Amino acid sequence: MASDQIRQMVNFILQEAHEKANEIRVKTEHDFNLEKQTLVHEAKLSVQEEFAKKEKDREVQERIARSAEIGECRVKKMRLRDGLLNQLTAEAAEKCGMVARGQNYPHLLQKLIVQGLIKIEEISVVIYTRAEDVSVVKQILPDAISEYVDIMERESGIKLKPNVTVSEDPAKVLGASTQGGVILTARDGRIVCDNTMQSRLTLVYSELLPSIRAILFPEAA
């Protein structure tokens, strides 16, 4: 009897231990599977995030490259346009130089002096010109002054007596880049009227630049 009871107790304990061990095993497997799923899910998310980041970086780099390429093309186009405009200006300046060597140049100088005197509105005026033009300017100056006086008398009723001289200072003659023409000054150089050919060309160029651009580069207008 006693041995049967002991056997039953042992069997009960073994059964309990077996059930407990099985329960622990099931729970362990469940926890392991859950942890594995969590790790796999987190790994997938990490891979997706990394891929999305690389894809975004690639798109950003492509946009930067496209933007840089577009900017470079624009810069090249602007340089080509500027080069063409500079070439046009240089050719126009060369033609101005040809005018300064023409037979009508003295008459043009006279008109430039008259216009300068009207603009400067001073009685005592000094004229500066290129070294090769000093003698011409001195020759036509009386006619220029007379024309100026007649215009002012006709417009205002006042007969002026301007004192206009031509500078012969070698240090102050105008350079070849002026392409000819004159510069008139008054009040010790504080008042200046630049009526050189280059100055006139620059003025005309600035005024006509929009029209020039429209003609040369219609696609950008």
Side-chain angles (χ1 to χ4, degrees), residues 116-204:
L117 290 172
I118 293 173
K119 284 185 176 181
I120 209 165
E121 293 183 339
E122 292 291 332
I123 293 299
S124 183
V125 177
V126 178
I127 297 176
Y128 296 90
T129 189
R130 298 182 304 174
E132 60 265 40
D133 293 338
V134 170
S135 60
V136 179
V137 171
K138 291 177 70 175
Q139 182 181 347
I140 54 94
L141 184 58
D143 290 339
I145 294 174
S146 177
E147 183 178 348
Y148 165 68
V149 170
D150 289 343
I151 291 173
M152 297 305 293
E153 184 176 11
R154 184 169 62 251
E155 295 296 327
S156 66
I158 300 175
K159 190 174 183 61
L160 301 175
K161 294 182 179 180
N163 177 29
V164 184
T165 58
V166 181
S167 172
E168 298 185 59
D169 186 348
K172 294 183 179 181
V173 295
L174 303 185
S177 62
T178 61
Q179 306 296 339
V182 293
I183 291 180
L184 294 84
T185 67
R187 298 183 184 272
D188 296 324
R190 291 193 297 273
I191 300 177
V192 178
C193 175
D194 189 341
N195 240 7
T196 60
M197 300 291 280
Q198 182 60 47
S199 173
R200 304 294 298 177
L201 175 60
T202 301
L203 178 62
V204 171

Side-chain angles (χ1 to χ4, degrees), residues 91-111:
E91 290 176 356
E94 185 177 347
K95 290 182 179 179
C96 285
M98 292 174 61
V99 170
R101 295 189 293 272
Q103 60 180 2
N104 292 325
Y105 183 54
H107 178 71
L108 175 61
L109 277 176
Q110 179 175 329
K111 295 303 179 183

